């Protein structure tokens, strides 16, 4: 923040008003404690009415927060066609303005999203939506690219199997997809839920994505979990098992060797 004004708010706090940053002018204010304590500010932003209010694919890019799809209902497990949002948008860091992006071809929630370091290209992988007259997991992948005139979306590849509620990490020049589930109620109650144990390695090419089954398998079904990367090791924490059973174990995969 530069060309801003820093003023006393009271005896213990300062307020930074206006100014600019590398992406442009900013309309936000920050409150700072003079003794160095962190003060968290809560800001409310009105989103487009057609936005998904939960389970959107969200990523923080250099230019702002990007949000794709989601479910438009506040209550869980509402999966009519109109419940899945198609809109995508960017919330600018500099002025907290909401800018529309090209809409998804069909409503989608719980997809994976990955961004390039410069924030000029994003990929959406898998997810859950209303297809062929019913809610089910999807295998489709799309690429968002920033051009000189704005953003554009193109279909690029498909996952080997439909997958939703998985996790994605980047390591060694590739992206790694772990966990998730393939849900399709048309298969009947006993076969509707198919946990995805395969660990996939994803690399980018001019013609789309190269998706490889590594041959590694999760030691147990796991979806909707927390995860983080330390060095070459991915930690999978919590989440749900084959159906709605909670997973208590923490599993760790070394991406350099495939050892759990």
């Amino acid at each position: 923040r530069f060309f801003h004004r820093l003023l006393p708010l009271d005896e213990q706090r300062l307020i930074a008003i206006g100014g600019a940053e590398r992406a442009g002018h900013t309309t936000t204010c920050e409150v700072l404690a003079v003794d160095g304590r962190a003060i968290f500010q809560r800001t409310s932003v009105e989103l487009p009415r057609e936005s998904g209010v939960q389970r959107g694919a969200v990523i923080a890019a250099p230019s702002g927060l990007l949000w794709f799809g989601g479910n438009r209902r506040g209550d869980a497990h509402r999966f009519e066609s109109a419940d899945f949002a198609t809109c995508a948008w960017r919330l600018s860091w500099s002025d907290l303005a909401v800018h529309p992006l090209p809409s998804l071809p069909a409503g989608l929630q719980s997809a994976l999203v990955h961004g390039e370091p410069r924030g000029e290209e994003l990929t959406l992988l898998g997810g859950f939506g209303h297809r062929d007259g019913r809610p089910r997991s999807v295998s489709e992948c799309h690429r968002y690219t920033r051009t000189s005139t704005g953003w554009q979306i193109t279909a690029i590849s498909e996952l080997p199997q439909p997958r939703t509620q998985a996790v994605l990490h980047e390591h060694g020049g590739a992206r790694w997809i772990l966990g998730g589930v393939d849900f399709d109620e048309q298969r009947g109650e006993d076969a509707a839920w198919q946990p995805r144990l395969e660990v996939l390695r994803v690399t980018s090419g001019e013609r789309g994505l190269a998706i490889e089954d590594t041959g590694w398998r999760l030691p147990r079904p796991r979806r909707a979990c927390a995860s983080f990367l330390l060095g070459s090791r991915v930690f999978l924490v919590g989440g749900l098992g084959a159906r709605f059973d909670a997973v208590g174990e923490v599993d760790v995969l070394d991406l350099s060797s495939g050892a759990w």
Side-chain angles (χ1 to χ4, degrees):
R1 187 188 294 257
F2 44 88
F3 290 113
H4 56 289
R5 293 294 178 263
L6 191 63
L7 303 172
L9 188 62
D10 55 35
E11 292 185 354
Q12 300 297 325
R13 297 178 299 169
L14 302 170
I15 183 169
I17 302 174
E21 49 120 7
R22 297 298 178 188
H25 290 87
T26 178
T27 61
T28 61
C29 298
E30 292 179 88
V31 177
L32 313 170
V34 296
D35 62 2
R37 289 181 297 111
I39 296 180
F40 294 92
Q41 294 296 105
R42 178 173 178 173
T43 302
S44 296
V45 178
E46 185 173 351
L47 303 179
R49 292 179 59 87
E50 64 272 19
S51 295
V53 298
Q54 59 167 318
R55 303 187 187 187
V58 182
I59 188 170
S63 61
L65 185 73
L66 295 102
W67 184 295
F68 304 89
N71 195 295
R72 302 179 62 207
R73 301 295 291 265
D75 45 343
H77 303 113
R78 302 299 295 266
F79 301 135
E80 296 300 322
S81 178
D83 297 334
F84 296 95
T86 61
C87 69
W89 46 263
R90 177 177 65 88
L91 176 68
S92 171
W93 295 134
S94 60
D95 58 5
L96 297 184
V98 177
H99 306 275
L101 300 177
S103 295
L104 297 164
L108 189 68
Q109 71 174 54
S110 303
L112 295 171
V113 58
H114 177 270
E116 301 299 328
R118 295 179 60 186
E120 297 183 351
E121 186 175 284
L122 297 151
T123 51
L124 288 172
L125 304 99
F128 186 69
H130 206 276
R131 305 290 190 273
D132 304 320
R134 66 188 188 277
R136 63 179 179 86
S137 303
V138 301
S139 58
E140 59 204 39
C141 303
H142 290 86
R143 174 178 290 160
Y144 272 83
T145 307
R146 185 200 293 268
T147 68
S148 59
T149 58
W151 289 82
Q152 65 181 20
I153 180 175
T154 54
I156 50 174
S157 301
E158 288 201 357
L159 299 175
Q161 316 89 7
R163 188 181 298 220
T164 186
Q165 297 183 3
V167 299
L168 182 149
H169 288 281
E170 184 174 10
H171 174 72
R175 284 158 278 175
W176 307 81
I177 299 176
L178 301 91
V181 66
D182 174 9
F183 175 80
D184 189 344
E185 62 183 6
Q186 192 177 57
R187 293 192 292 254
E189 184 176 354
D190 293 339
W193 301 83
Q194 294 184 359
R196 299 266 52 111
L197 302 179
E198 306 89 348
V199 177
L200 304 180
R201 182 177 184 269
V202 183
T203 54
S204 297
E206 293 183 358
R207 297 184 178 181
L209 299 179
I211 304 174
E212 170 195 2
D213 186 339
T214 62
W216 307 340
R217 297 294 182 264
L218 269 67
R220 71 197 86 250
R222 191 189 298 264
R223 63 183 176 91
C225 70
S227 67
F228 58 92
L229 183 72
L230 285 179
S232 63
R233 297 183 299 165
V234 174
F235 289 71
L236 303 177
V237 185
L240 298 176
R243 294 292 294 271
F244 291 95
D245 52 309
V247 180
E249 297 86 355
V250 175
D251 291 315
V252 184
L253 173 63
D254 191 331
L255 296 175
S256 63
S257 66
W260 289 94

